[in-house]
Amino acid sequence: MSLTATPADSDTGTDRVLREIEERVLWLATAIVDHANRVRPNPGGLKVGGHQASSASMVTIMTSLWLEQLQADDRVSVKPHASPVLHALEYLLGQLDASYLTTLREFGGLQSYPSRSKDPVPADYSTGSVGIGATAPIWGAIARRYVNTQLGAGGTGRQWSLVGDAELDEGAVWEAVLDPMVAELGEVVWVVDLNRQSLDRVVPMMGATRLQGMFAAAGWQVLTVKYGRLLEELFTRPGGAALRGRIDGMSNPEYQRLLRHDAADLRRLLPGEGPGAADVAALVADLSDADLSAAVRNLGGHDPAALREAFEQIDDTRPTVVLAYTLKGYGLATEGHPQNHSALLTEAQLHELAARLGVDPADPWAGLPADGAAGRLLAAAAERLRRRAYEAQSAPPVPADLGRTPSGTATTQAALGRTLLDLNRAAPEAGRRVVTVSPDVSSSTNLGGWVNKVGVWSHEDRRNWFADDAETILHWRERPTGQHIELGIAETNLVGAIGELGATWSRWGQPLLPIGVLYDPFVERALEPWSFGIYAGGQSVLVGTPSGVTLAPEGGAHQSITTPSVGLEQPGCVTYEPAFALDTEWCLLAALGRLGRPGGSSAYLRLSTRPVDQMLAAVPADPAARERRRRQVVAGAYPLRRPARPVVTVAAMGALVPEALAAADRLDALGLAADVVCVTSPGQLFRALQGRRGLDEAPGWVLDSVFPAERAAPMVTLLDGHPHTLAFLAGVRGVPATHLGVTAFGQSGDLDSVYRHHGLDVDSIVGAALDLVE
């Protein structure tokens, strides 16, 4: 009896049309990679790359989604190695011009992985950094809900992630899945391409059961699509239960090896040696060679009806994961081979594929006839997926100066919360767009006053059971109008969230001003996903506080060293490390003013818990002089002390400015006048220096203002971080220099002892200056 003789159901006609489209998608995705590697000239000889096998495993799933499931307001994160499938669908749906199909990984062409900012058809989510793209729709869902509750403009729609099973090895995935807020996101749907292969090998252990348990424990609905209709029908026949048990019990490598055998070998190997072997042998003996080969390959992730049935079961009250069993390289000559990850079909294999799929290799980019059933289904899907244009709102103006002049003793960390409260009063439209995010450190980073004022965001009102407790200082009022989002302790989740909150201006035309706050020692843990968010168009402010060895009692584990230079080097980001409260205000306002707009940028502020006498800032009283100071602060540096004839310059940043001023007093007593320059942004100064040489568009006026040629003198640079961060300043005027900073792990102690240990104390500064000038 033939498997294809099973009774037809009402979807058979639709599935035939889907198969026709799926086969064309498979061909196009394969040909896109082939052209990039074998047809397009490659004078340099470097490997172009691409992933035919990883694309093939996703073809049925993506065809099913785009042609039947997706709605215009849905958003999809496509696994990185399936980008050719995405482009094939874009082409067939009339979104991508055929001229781009020959440009995969070419300069200015289709990107190696889906990109929101660089592909001709912007992807919904940039992917390519394993695990980060997969989790982005979670934070996209939160961003959409936030825009809806605050501004009424985010719309609806599901947030889909198409994830490779090996990608689930990334810890960032589980940090996101386990966040307490995620269990309520019913619009989140992950489809796992369970092809049981990674880059190097067939994954040895059966991981589906473990994955089912892990997702279920996190509150997700778990749907498993393991077998297609052919196998499911076969399981109902005599011997079918034994066959199911045999396949279910196979290791991944044994199953994958079966795919490389012909029908004769399958009849011998498939029954195995267990108690049901005779039953399995009897069952498969009646199958034709073609049916037997088809049955072994009939996994649920390649069966439109099985996928459709699973998608119809999605529960929109909680997140869902669909574990779809697939074959890596499905339909290709490399199907199931353990080394097929980056393998290319040979020319002969490509022509064989073309013949089997009814494609002319001489006309590889042919579409499907518009007047045929497939063409009509594509046209209907294209119309359904057409997105309405959003009327873009301009980012609200952010004042440059709130008019306060702090006095007494204060920390830059405390200035963060103070500035946000003052901004809310002075510019309520801008304040309304501010949203702060914290990984359970809002109180310890001085956001308590802000949180008390604006409340904690939740998509629904929740009772504050401690509202009547007189001893409660931080009031945790959760409501849809709140402007603070509290996540669990996971820095990657924090930056993922602010990245998506920072992209709402381009998604729905509603700019937000997101600020993420975390401990500075953990900035580097968060840097990679934050950087990827910036690459994808998210604009946000990341605040690292407290920072440096200035956090003396906490010891080496909590004393950051390299974060100042990391901020200097991060593309799409302006970094600031202010020394005084007013500097913090000006830098934060400038950073907020760059958010939520085309050509905008992110910012990183490194703040401190060290109390500093604010009178040391010597803020000018004259309005014009104050404005000049503010412009210098935002541009990267300002002169803090200027004697008549300086013989040395001390350029200091952040918490160590008081030491620089004290050292200048000591040097003055020795008859050696010292300029003191307060550096607020090494990145801005470096850009200005590059601009002077025509390597950047940044103006160089700040260098002439702060380091004028007539005051050039030997230089000591000083910061609570790695000294190379400021080492380039000596090149502004080509002066000899000594660079002081932190180059070793710290330890607990009082501030004076720790500074002395690292050579940051006043004695060390004075000694360095004397070595330069005497």
Side-chain angles (χ1 to χ4, degrees), residues 641-729:
R641 183 171 299 179
R642 271 195 168 159
R645 296 182 182 84
V647 297
V648 67
T649 298
V650 180
M653 186 166 73
L656 291 177
V657 167
E659 274 64 35
L661 291 170
D665 289 339
R666 291 257 303 268
L667 290 168
D668 185 64
L670 295 172
L672 301 172
D675 270 353
V676 177
V677 173
C678 181
V679 176
T680 54
S681 175
Q684 294 286 68
L685 296 182
F686 185 75
R687 286 195 61 202
L689 187 61
Q690 292 289 85
R692 177 187 286 178
R693 292 169 171 80
L695 300 175
D696 196 290
E697 297 179 357
W701 66 266
V702 66
L703 300 178
D704 296 326
S705 173
V706 179
F707 301 106
E710 65 273 13
R711 300 183 70 84
M715 179 181 293
V716 177
T717 65
L718 176 69
L719 77 153
D720 186 353
H722 199 282
H724 89 270
T725 307
L726 299 181
F728 70 92
L729 291 178

Side-chain angles (χ1 to χ4, degrees), residues 15 106 180 250 337 374 390 449 457 482 489 499 503 562 620 633-634 638 648 672 702:
D15 289 350
E106 182 178 70
M250 283 184 188
H337 193 280
Y390 289 92
W457 179 80
I489 306 174
T562 61
V633 166
V634 172
Y638 60 93
V648 67
L672 301 172
V702 66

Side-chain angles (χ1 to χ4, degrees), residues 313-684:
Q313 297 177 49
I314 292 174
D315 176 5
D316 287 324
T317 67
R318 54 180 173 152
T320 295
V321 60
V322 180
L323 301 175
Y325 281 72
T326 62
L327 298 176
K328 193 166 183 174
Y330 178 71
L332 304 181
T334 57
E335 180 181 83
H337 193 280
Q339 278 85 54
N340 66 7
H341 183 78
S342 298
L344 294 171
L345 297 188
T346 66
E347 185 175 356
Q349 289 170 337
L350 188 74
H351 279 76
E352 185 278 328
L353 178 67
R356 179 158 50 85
L357 300 181
V359 178
D360 181 2
D363 185 19
W365 316 124
L368 291 164
D371 58 353
R376 290 192 294 272
L377 185 57
L378 285 164
E383 182 60 31
R384 184 183 73 249
L385 296 174
R386 196 182 314 279
R387 291 175 179 169
R388 62 186 176 92
Y390 289 92
E391 182 179 352
Q393 302 291 315
S394 299
V398 177
D401 188 345
L402 299 176
R404 293 179 67 252
T405 304
S407 58
T409 300
T411 71
T412 56
Q413 176 176 288
L416 169 69
R418 176 79 260 174
T419 299
L420 292 177
L421 291 170
D422 289 346
L423 175 64
N424 235 11
R425 286 189 288 267
E429 279 304 306
R432 182 179 176 228
R433 302 274 175 162
V434 171
V435 52
T436 56
V437 187
S438 165
D440 199 34
V441 293
S442 53
S443 57
S444 57
T445 53
N446 281 90
L447 284 181
W450 165 258
V451 172
N452 285 344
K453 175 67 176 178
V454 302
V456 178
W457 179 80
S458 171
H459 70 278
E460 61 183 7
D461 283 300
R462 291 177 178 169
R463 181 173 178 179
N464 177 14
W465 290 94
F466 287 86
D468 59 348
D469 186 344
E471 296 183 4
T472 298
I473 300 174
L474 184 62
H475 302 292
W476 211 252
R477 294 189 294 269
E478 296 181 86
R479 54 198 180 190
T481 58
Q483 291 179 244
H484 176 76
I485 297 175
E486 189 83 0
L487 300 174
I489 306 174
E491 289 77 15
T492 56
N493 292 349
L494 168 81
V495 294
I498 63 175
E500 287 304 316
L501 290 164
T504 59
W505 66 275
S506 60
R507 290 198 188 279
W508 304 294
Q510 291 290 343
L512 295 174
L513 309 179
I515 303 171
V517 180
L518 75 166
Y519 294 162
D520 196 69
F522 309 138
V523 163
E524 289 171 282
R525 185 186 301 176
L527 186 64
E528 189 250 343
W530 188 51
S531 176
F532 208 77
I534 294 173
Y535 166 79
Q539 299 170 8
S540 59
V541 176
L542 185 64
V543 178
T545 184
S547 64
V549 298
T550 298
L551 192 62
E554 291 288 339
H558 275 183
Q559 295 172 355
S560 51
I561 298 171
T562 61
T563 49
S565 58
V566 166
L568 163 66
E569 296 155 4
Q570 172 60 47
C573 169
V574 178
T575 177
Y576 289 113
E577 185 167 347
F580 300 104
L582 187 55
D583 295 356
T584 305
E585 173 190 304
W586 286 338
C587 293
L588 179 60
L589 294 175
L592 293 174
R594 298 187 184 98
L595 302 181
R597 64 197 68 219
S601 67
S602 295
Y604 160 53
L605 272 68
R606 188 177 192 245
L607 305 183
S608 175
T609 50
R610 184 186 185 186
V612 173
D613 181 0
Q614 298 302 300
M615 297 305 294
L616 295 176
V619 179
D622 180 82
R626 178 187 175 101
E627 172 58 16
R628 183 171 184 268
R629 165 71 70 85
R630 186 201 66 80
R631 289 181 64 241
Q632 290 173 327
V633 166
V634 172
Y638 60 93
L640 193 51
R641 183 171 299 179
R642 271 195 168 159
R645 296 182 182 84
V647 297
V648 67
T649 298
V650 180
M653 186 166 73
L656 291 177
V657 167
E659 274 64 35
L661 291 170
D665 289 339
R666 291 257 303 268
L667 290 168
D668 185 64
L670 295 172
L672 301 172
D675 270 353
V676 177
V677 173
C678 181
V679 176
T680 54
S681 175
Q684 294 286 68

Side-chain angles (χ1 to χ4, degrees), residues 43-93:
L46 291 176
K47 176 184 175 183
V48 177
H51 301 85
Q52 292 174 332
S54 293
S55 292
S57 65
M58 286 297 299
V59 167
T60 315
I61 292 171
M62 291 179 66
T63 302
S64 174
L65 276 178
W66 263 258
L67 272 295
E68 289 192 323
Q69 301 298 326
L70 296 185
Q71 303 299 316
D73 282 343
D74 290 2
R75 297 292 185 270
V76 188
S77 171
V78 176
K79 79 168 191 176
H81 294 161
S83 63
V85 182
L86 175 63
H87 299 315
L89 284 164
E90 291 169 342
Y91 167 62
L92 292 175
L93 291 167

Side-chain angles (χ1 to χ4, degrees), residues 28-227:
L28 289 170
T30 306
I32 286 170
V33 178
D34 180 78
H35 188 280
N37 287 273
R38 298 187 185 278
V39 181
R40 192 171 69 221
N42 184 10
L46 291 176
K47 176 184 175 183
V48 177
H51 301 85
Q52 292 174 332
S54 293
S55 292
S57 65
M58 286 297 299
V59 167
T60 315
I61 292 171
M62 291 179 66
T63 302
S64 174
L65 276 178
W66 263 258
L67 272 295
E68 289 192 323
Q69 301 298 326
L70 296 185
Q71 303 299 316
D73 282 343
D74 290 2
R75 297 292 185 270
V76 188
S77 171
V78 176
K79 79 168 191 176
H81 294 161
S83 63
V85 182
L86 175 63
H87 299 315
L89 284 164
E90 291 169 342
Y91 167 62
L92 292 175
L93 291 167
Q95 300 169 340
L96 181 69
D97 188 82
S99 62
Y100 282 105
L101 300 180
T102 61
T103 68
L104 180 70
R105 300 189 174 205
E106 182 178 70
F107 187 81
L110 299 175
Q111 296 300 296
S112 53
Y113 309 122
S115 173
R116 279 199 76 218
S117 57
K118 298 182 184 298
D119 270 324
V121 179
D124 289 338
Y125 292 98
S126 293
T127 57
S129 183
V130 176
I132 303 305
T135 61
I138 286 177
W139 316 120
I142 289 176
R144 171 180 272 168
R145 287 192 179 204
Y146 187 89
V147 169
N148 273 329
T149 58
Q150 296 286 353
L151 305 168
T156 58
R158 283 177 175 162
Q159 298 276 347
W160 300 80
S161 284
L162 308 183
V163 188
D165 53 353
E167 197 167 6
L168 296 180
D169 290 344
E170 279 288 343
V173 168
W174 299 105
E175 288 184 357
V177 167
L178 293 172
D179 190 273
M181 188 174 289
V182 173
E184 300 175 345
L185 301 177
E187 64 268 46
V188 169
V189 182
W190 285 18
V191 183
V192 178
D193 174 18
L194 202 66
N195 61 45
R196 294 170 285 183
Q197 284 187 239
S198 60
L199 190 151
D200 291 330
R201 61 177 181 165
V202 176
V203 178
M205 300 300 293
M206 297 293 289
T209 302
R210 176 172 55 92
L211 292 175
Q212 290 167 344
M214 292 169 71
F215 277 104
W220 288 50
Q221 178 190 23
V222 181
L223 302 173
T224 301
V225 188
K226 187 168 186 178
Y227 299 119

